[in-house]
Amino acid sequence: MATPRSPSRGPWSSTAGDGRNGVTGSPFQAATDGPAYTALGKATQEVYGKPLALLGQDGSIPLCNILATAYRG
């Protein structure tokens, strides 16, 4: 049986919050106008007969911004 936890505590005693405590993250948005996304969109259309759908999600991984800065193309 699961044990209840405080909303401010995550699994493995990690902390969680809503960003209002002065700590903010590094938002990341992947580019969707490059050749890889174009190829993916064409393949999706060909295989599934439907256009590629784009979704958003909160909580970007901080490593994404580090890699994007290090490997700008």
XYZ file of all heavy atoms in Angstrom:
519
model
N 0.844 -1.174 0.000
C 0.000 0.000 0.000
C 0.891 1.239 0.000
O 1.864 1.333 0.732
C -0.897 -0.039 1.232
C -1.734 1.181 1.399
S -2.858 0.948 2.780
C -4.121 2.027 2.273
N 0.542 2.188 -0.822
C 1.322 3.428 -0.912
C 1.121 4.267 0.345
O 0.046 4.299 0.924
C 0.896 4.216 -2.133
N 2.174 4.924 0.745
C 2.077 5.803 1.903
C 1.959 7.233 1.424
O 2.641 7.636 0.470
C 3.309 5.670 2.810
O 4.468 5.942 2.048
C 3.404 4.282 3.402
N 1.091 8.026 2.022
C 0.935 9.422 1.583
C 2.182 10.235 1.878
O 2.897 9.980 2.830
C -0.256 9.922 2.394
C -0.464 8.960 3.487
C 0.228 7.677 3.118
N 2.488 11.191 1.007
C 3.615 12.093 1.227
C 3.136 13.519 1.129
O 2.119 13.806 0.533
C 4.721 12.008 0.206
C 5.065 11.001 -0.559
C 6.277 11.245 -1.446
N 5.889 11.332 -2.819
C 5.748 10.307 -3.604
N 5.968 9.113 -3.165
N 5.385 10.460 -4.827
N 3.921 14.364 1.672
C 3.646 15.787 1.577
C 3.741 16.201 0.114
O 4.601 15.714 -0.613
C 4.685 16.555 2.403
O 4.670 17.907 2.054
N 2.885 17.120 -0.367
C 2.964 17.569 -1.754
C 4.306 18.196 -2.120
O 4.671 18.268 -3.272
C 1.846 18.600 -1.867
C 0.979 18.404 -0.697
C 1.813 17.732 0.362
N 5.068 18.652 -1.124
C 6.350 19.287 -1.429
C 7.499 18.274 -1.456
O 8.636 18.647 -1.659
C 6.657 20.379 -0.404
O 6.826 19.807 0.873
N 7.197 17.019 -1.242
C 8.227 15.984 -1.285
C 7.910 15.017 -2.409
O 6.798 14.561 -2.556
C 8.284 15.208 0.032
C 8.579 16.051 1.256
C 9.901 16.738 1.207
N 10.967 15.785 1.420
C 12.239 16.096 1.384
N 12.602 17.315 1.118
N 13.147 15.201 1.594
N 8.905 14.688 -3.194
C 8.736 13.723 -4.272
C 9.258 12.363 -3.843
O 9.642 12.164 -2.693
N 9.294 11.435 -4.779
C 9.829 10.122 -4.445
C 11.298 10.206 -4.064
O 12.008 11.110 -4.494
C 9.637 9.323 -5.724
C 9.166 10.257 -6.763
C 8.858 11.557 -6.130
N 11.765 9.277 -3.306
C 13.159 9.193 -2.858
C 13.597 10.455 -2.124
O 14.723 10.894 -2.223
C 14.108 8.912 -4.014
C 13.731 7.668 -4.734
C 13.902 6.391 -4.301
C 13.075 7.578 -5.986
N 13.393 5.509 -5.219
C 12.884 6.219 -6.262
C 12.625 8.509 -6.899
C 12.260 5.775 -7.418
C 12.011 8.068 -8.051
C 11.838 6.717 -8.292
N 12.678 11.095 -1.440
C 12.934 12.297 -0.645
C 13.403 13.486 -1.475
O 14.021 14.405 -0.971
C 13.960 12.006 0.461
O 13.437 11.035 1.337
N 13.128 13.475 -2.775
C 13.459 14.633 -3.600
C 12.470 15.747 -3.289
O 11.382 15.506 -2.790
C 13.396 14.274 -5.080
O 12.091 13.872 -5.435
N 12.868 16.968 -3.542
C 11.963 18.078 -3.294
C 11.239 18.443 -4.582
O 11.739 18.220 -5.675
C 12.718 19.304 -2.760
O 13.706 19.673 -3.710
C 13.374 19.001 -1.431
N 10.073 18.990 -4.431
C 9.272 19.416 -5.571
C 8.703 20.787 -5.261
O 8.555 21.151 -4.114
C 8.149 18.413 -5.824
N 8.415 21.531 -6.270
C 7.831 22.848 -6.054
C 7.223 23.388 -7.326
O 7.263 22.748 -8.363
N 6.688 24.570 -7.227
C 6.026 25.171 -8.383
C 6.790 26.382 -8.908
O 6.268 27.127 -9.731
C 4.598 25.556 -8.025
C 4.537 26.528 -6.865
O 5.589 27.058 -6.449
O 3.431 26.770 -6.368
N 8.011 26.601 -8.488
C 8.814 27.709 -8.992
C 8.562 29.036 -8.303
O 9.228 30.014 -8.588
N 7.617 29.093 -7.386
C 7.301 30.360 -6.732
C 8.200 30.640 -5.539
O 8.072 31.653 -4.899
C 5.839 30.381 -6.296
C 4.903 30.481 -7.490
C 3.499 30.608 -7.040
N 2.958 29.252 -6.931
C 1.721 28.979 -6.599
N 0.877 29.927 -6.308
N 1.305 27.748 -6.538
N 9.137 29.763 -5.275
C 10.020 29.966 -4.129
C 11.317 30.663 -4.535
O 12.281 30.659 -3.797
C 10.328 28.629 -3.445
C 11.006 27.651 -4.382
O 11.210 27.949 -5.548
N 11.352 26.488 -3.870
N 11.347 31.253 -5.717
C 12.521 31.976 -6.173
C 13.489 31.123 -6.969
O 14.417 31.627 -7.574
N 13.289 29.825 -6.986
C 14.150 28.936 -7.758
C 13.464 28.662 -9.088
O 12.323 28.236 -9.126
C 14.384 27.607 -7.013
C 15.231 26.665 -7.844
C 15.021 27.871 -5.669
N 14.164 28.961 -10.162
C 13.580 28.709 -11.477
C 14.492 27.788 -12.260
O 15.680 27.679 -11.987
C 13.378 30.019 -12.258
O 14.652 30.658 -12.405
C 12.417 30.949 -11.543
N 13.941 27.148 -13.251
C 14.706 26.244 -14.095
C 15.155 26.933 -15.363
O 15.127 28.151 -15.481
N 15.590 26.140 -16.293
C 16.029 26.631 -17.587
C 15.086 26.071 -18.650
O 15.222 24.924 -19.046
C 17.458 26.162 -17.877
O 18.342 26.639 -16.913
N 14.119 26.854 -19.097
C 13.178 26.335 -20.086
C 13.899 25.936 -21.372
O 14.909 26.530 -21.740
C 12.220 27.490 -20.341
C 12.682 28.625 -19.530
C 13.874 28.226 -18.752
N 13.393 24.932 -22.033
C 13.987 24.443 -23.270
C 12.887 24.180 -24.276
O 11.846 23.624 -23.934
C 14.759 23.144 -23.014
C 15.306 22.524 -24.274
C 16.455 23.028 -24.863
C 14.653 21.469 -24.876
C 16.942 22.478 -26.031
C 15.144 20.903 -26.034
C 16.288 21.410 -26.612
N 13.095 24.606 -25.487
C 12.165 24.305 -26.561
C 12.977 23.817 -27.748
O 13.854 24.524 -28.257
C 11.355 25.542 -26.955
C 10.355 25.256 -28.055
C 9.475 26.442 -28.363
O 9.508 27.453 -27.677
N 8.688 26.324 -29.387
N 12.715 22.599 -28.168
C 13.445 22.026 -29.292
C 13.023 22.707 -30.587
O 11.859 23.076 -30.761
C 13.162 20.531 -29.375
N 13.970 22.870 -31.482
C 13.666 23.418 -32.810
C 12.868 22.379 -33.591
O 13.176 21.191 -33.560
C 14.953 23.757 -33.537
N 11.827 22.825 -34.262
C 10.999 21.910 -35.047
C 11.008 22.276 -36.528
O 10.165 21.818 -37.281
C 9.557 21.913 -34.519
O 9.045 23.243 -34.572
C 9.475 21.388 -33.104
N 11.975 23.092 -36.927
C 12.008 23.535 -38.326
C 13.233 23.009 -39.079
O 13.515 23.452 -40.182
C 11.975 25.057 -38.392
C 13.124 25.714 -37.635
O 13.852 24.996 -36.916
O 13.289 26.935 -37.755
N 13.933 22.045 -38.523
C 15.138 21.522 -39.159
C 14.863 20.294 -40.013
O 13.738 19.791 -40.093
N 15.904 19.790 -40.647
C 15.746 18.647 -41.551
C 15.310 17.358 -40.841
O 14.595 16.537 -41.430
C 17.120 18.492 -42.188
C 18.068 19.224 -41.303
C 17.273 20.293 -40.627
N 15.716 17.171 -39.595
C 15.326 15.951 -38.872
C 13.815 15.932 -38.629
O 13.160 14.906 -38.833
C 16.077 15.850 -37.554
N 13.249 17.048 -38.209
C 11.804 17.103 -37.985
C 11.042 16.991 -39.300
O 9.975 16.390 -39.365
C 11.407 18.390 -37.251
C 11.147 18.160 -35.783
C 12.185 18.141 -34.876
C 9.865 17.934 -35.311
C 11.967 17.921 -33.534
C 9.632 17.714 -33.966
C 10.677 17.703 -33.085
O 10.452 17.468 -31.759
N 11.593 17.562 -40.369
C 10.946 17.451 -41.680
C 10.892 15.983 -42.102
O 9.847 15.491 -42.540
C 11.706 18.290 -42.725
O 11.700 19.657 -42.304
C 11.079 18.168 -44.094
N 12.017 15.269 -41.952
C 12.059 13.847 -42.307
C 11.121 13.033 -41.422
O 10.417 12.133 -41.902
C 13.487 13.325 -42.192
N 11.090 13.352 -40.137
C 10.206 12.647 -39.211
C 8.740 12.873 -39.588
O 7.932 11.943 -39.576
C 10.456 13.116 -37.773
C 9.591 12.478 -36.694
C 9.814 10.978 -36.625
C 9.880 13.130 -35.354
N 8.404 14.109 -39.934
C 7.034 14.417 -40.339
C 6.620 13.668 -41.591
O 5.510 13.135 -41.679
N 7.523 13.597 -42.559
C 7.230 12.857 -43.799
C 7.061 11.369 -43.522
O 6.169 10.719 -44.056
C 8.343 13.089 -44.822
C 8.326 14.470 -45.422
C 9.468 14.654 -46.411
C 9.465 16.070 -46.970
N 10.595 16.283 -47.897
N 7.938 10.820 -42.691
C 7.858 9.393 -42.355
C 6.572 9.078 -41.600
O 5.917 8.066 -41.853
C 9.074 8.975 -41.540
N 6.200 9.948 -40.662
C 4.966 9.749 -39.899
C 3.761 9.757 -40.822
O 2.871 8.910 -40.717
C 4.819 10.847 -38.823
O 5.946 10.784 -37.950
C 3.544 10.670 -38.024
N 3.741 10.704 -41.745
C 2.636 10.797 -42.708
C 2.575 9.539 -43.574
O 1.504 8.981 -43.802
C 2.808 12.036 -43.588
C 1.702 12.244 -44.594
C 0.395 12.658 -43.970
O 0.367 13.484 -43.077
N -0.701 12.081 -44.419
N 3.731 9.079 -44.019
C 3.783 7.905 -44.884
C 3.346 6.634 -44.152
O 2.576 5.836 -44.677
C 5.204 7.726 -45.413
C 5.356 6.577 -46.387
C 6.772 6.456 -46.920
O 7.422 7.484 -47.150
O 7.229 5.303 -47.085
N 3.817 6.446 -42.936
C 3.536 5.217 -42.201
C 2.128 5.205 -41.602
O 1.412 4.208 -41.696
C 4.586 5.000 -41.085
C 4.206 3.836 -40.185
C 5.960 4.765 -41.695
N 1.733 6.321 -40.984
C 0.457 6.346 -40.265
C -0.661 7.048 -41.018
O -1.813 7.014 -40.590
C 0.638 7.015 -38.891
C 1.568 6.244 -37.994
C 2.865 6.680 -37.757
C 1.156 5.065 -37.380
C 3.728 5.971 -36.939
C 2.001 4.346 -36.559
C 3.289 4.804 -36.343
O 4.128 4.095 -35.542
N -0.323 7.733 -42.091
C -1.342 8.436 -42.855
C -1.873 9.668 -42.140
O -2.931 10.182 -42.482
N -1.143 10.144 -41.160
C -1.554 11.325 -40.391
C -0.349 12.227 -40.202
O 0.783 11.750 -40.103
C -2.098 10.923 -39.013
C -3.357 10.093 -39.091
C -3.847 9.753 -37.708
C -5.116 8.934 -37.806
N -5.659 8.601 -36.510
N -0.580 13.531 -40.095
C 0.549 14.436 -39.870
C 1.121 14.281 -38.459
O 0.436 13.830 -37.539
C -0.060 15.828 -40.057
C -1.517 15.648 -39.812
C -1.850 14.237 -40.216
N 2.364 14.638 -38.331
C 3.041 14.608 -37.044
C 2.378 15.602 -36.095
O 2.103 16.737 -36.472
C 4.520 14.975 -37.232
C 5.417 14.951 -36.020
C 5.541 13.533 -35.470
C 6.796 15.475 -36.385
N 2.108 15.175 -34.882
C 1.519 16.046 -33.869
C 2.609 16.480 -32.895
O 3.440 15.674 -32.480
C 0.406 15.324 -33.119
N 2.629 17.740 -32.544
C 3.599 18.266 -31.591
C 2.907 18.472 -30.252
O 1.784 18.962 -30.187
C 4.189 19.585 -32.085
C 4.886 19.529 -33.442
C 5.369 20.914 -33.849
C 6.046 18.555 -33.397
N 3.585 18.086 -29.182
C 3.053 18.216 -27.831
C 4.031 18.989 -26.971
O 5.224 19.015 -27.246
C 2.840 16.834 -27.201
C 1.931 15.874 -27.945
C 1.959 14.507 -27.276
C 0.518 16.407 -27.981
N 3.539 19.569 -25.917
C 4.390 20.258 -24.953
C 4.290 19.604 -23.603
O 3.313 18.937 -23.289
N 5.318 19.779 -22.815
C 5.330 19.208 -21.470
C 6.173 20.099 -20.575
O 7.213 20.601 -20.993
C 5.920 17.796 -21.524
C 6.018 17.148 -20.168
C 6.584 15.728 -20.284
O 6.442 15.072 -21.284
N 7.225 15.283 -19.230
N 5.726 20.299 -19.368
C 6.512 21.062 -18.403
C 7.679 20.230 -17.900
O 7.684 19.019 -18.009
C 5.649 21.466 -17.191
C 4.682 22.576 -17.529
O 4.948 23.301 -18.491
O 3.676 22.702 -16.827
N 8.654 20.902 -17.341
C 9.751 20.218 -16.682
C 10.863 19.796 -17.626
O 11.174 18.626 -17.724
N 11.429 20.740 -18.344
C 12.524 20.380 -19.238
C 13.731 19.893 -18.450
O 13.942 20.240 -17.297
C 12.928 21.562 -20.118
O 13.471 22.602 -19.345
N 14.522 19.077 -19.077
C 15.718 18.518 -18.455
C 16.839 19.549 -18.584
O 17.144 19.974 -19.702
C 16.107 17.201 -19.137
C 14.953 16.204 -19.041
C 17.388 16.626 -18.528
C 15.124 14.983 -19.891
N 17.462 19.979 -17.497
C 18.508 21.009 -17.580
C 19.622 20.667 -18.558
O 20.207 21.544 -19.171
C 19.043 21.094 -16.150
C 17.907 20.638 -15.295
C 17.187 19.594 -16.119
N 19.911 19.395 -18.757
C 20.965 18.990 -19.673
C 20.671 19.429 -21.110
O 21.592 19.676 -21.891
C 21.150 17.471 -19.609
C 22.204 16.865 -20.513
C 23.584 17.441 -20.189
C 22.216 15.359 -20.394
N 19.400 19.554 -21.476
C 19.043 19.963 -22.846
C 19.669 21.305 -23.206
O 20.219 21.455 -24.294
C 17.528 20.054 -22.991
S 16.688 18.460 -22.905
N 19.611 22.269 -22.322
C 20.189 23.585 -22.606
C 21.712 23.540 -22.678
O 22.330 24.225 -23.491
C 19.753 24.605 -21.564
C 18.312 24.987 -21.741
O 17.830 25.093 -22.850
N 17.615 25.183 -20.641
N 22.310 22.718 -21.852
C 23.781 22.587 -21.873
C 24.219 21.999 -23.212
O 25.141 22.497 -23.857
C 24.259 21.711 -20.694
C 23.978 22.427 -19.379
C 25.733 21.366 -20.840
C 24.142 21.560 -18.149
N 23.545 20.942 -23.649
C 23.897 20.324 -24.936
C 23.598 21.263 -26.112
O 24.379 21.328 -27.054
C 23.145 19.003 -25.101
C 23.544 17.900 -24.137
C 22.638 16.682 -24.303
C 24.997 17.516 -24.318
N 22.493 21.978 -26.044
C 22.147 22.897 -27.129
C 23.190 24.007 -27.256
O 23.553 24.415 -28.363
C 20.760 23.507 -26.888
N 23.707 24.481 -26.137
C 24.748 25.515 -26.170
C 26.066 24.933 -26.673
O 26.751 25.557 -27.478
C 24.951 26.112 -24.753
O 23.714 26.676 -24.326
C 26.019 27.169 -24.757
N 26.397 23.750 -26.241
C 27.683 23.144 -26.604
C 27.732 22.708 -28.067
O 28.796 22.746 -28.687
C 27.962 21.948 -25.704
N 26.598 22.331 -28.634
C 26.590 21.770 -29.988
C 25.695 22.531 -30.946
O 25.007 21.951 -31.763
C 26.151 20.305 -29.936
C 27.092 19.447 -29.140
C 26.786 19.088 -27.837
C 28.298 19.049 -29.673
C 27.660 18.310 -27.086
C 29.187 18.285 -28.934
C 28.854 17.919 -27.647
O 29.728 17.171 -26.912
N 25.718 23.839 -30.852
C 24.934 24.645 -31.808
C 25.417 24.357 -33.216
O 26.602 24.313 -33.487
C 25.079 26.120 -31.508
C 24.461 26.497 -30.195
C 23.906 27.907 -30.245
N 23.442 28.308 -28.926
C 22.215 28.139 -28.510
N 21.329 27.623 -29.287
N 21.863 28.522 -27.305
N 24.454 24.184 -34.120
C 24.848 23.837 -35.486
C 24.521 24.816 -36.520
O 23.957 25.739 -36.637
